[in-house]
Amino acid sequence: MRKLTALLGAALIAASSLALAPVAHAGDIASSNADLAGRWRSAALKMNGLGYGMTVRHMSGMASNTYRARVAFLGAAAVPDTVGGTNTITVYGRDLVWTWTGGSKSMRLHGTLGMDGSRYFPTCYKVLIYASKASRAEDCLFQEMPTRR
């Protein structure tokens, strides 16, 4: 009888914790159907006005998980300093691969997709000239820019 009571109590606690669990926010991104198209900015750009912006668009004729990215350093000059080469981002669930090709060089940066849609590429300083290993927490974390009304 004690085992049955303990089992029922555990089941009741589990059921109530599921019922009281927070509902997912509208901004949360499920890993199976993430849409990364849009405008993004680095945490550094958001915090102090100097950092990187990233515009991401679907690539026509490619798999739905592949995007073309345009990356630029913003804030220091009137004209954005665009990162040259070809930038693509491919989504594999919560894992991201940023492929950069410029001239005869090519590089693959691995990153992650956050629940809020943010993306973090911890080795972005290998491609982004003004980013560094010491500042990667601010320079390599990209968050969605609010839309203008």
Side-chain angles (χ1 to χ4, degrees), residues 7-89:
L7 184 60
L8 285 173
L12 182 61
I13 290 171
S16 64
S17 66
L18 285 174
L20 297 175
V23 178
H25 295 287
D28 290 351
I29 293 182
S31 60
S32 62
N33 61 355
D35 183 5
L36 301 185
R39 294 178 52 218
W40 305 82
R41 60 183 167 180
S42 66
L45 180 60
K46 186 176 179 181
M47 289 186 305
N48 61 31
L50 291 173
Y52 289 90
M54 180 184 287
T55 303
V56 180
R57 292 191 170 86
H58 289 278
M59 289 182 65
S60 60
M62 297 295 288
S64 63
N65 66 333
T66 304
Y67 299 84
R68 169 118 18 238
R70 182 175 177 265
V71 184
F73 186 76
L74 304 171
V79 178
D81 182 13
T82 304
V83 175
T86 302
N87 295 283
T88 59
I89 297 175

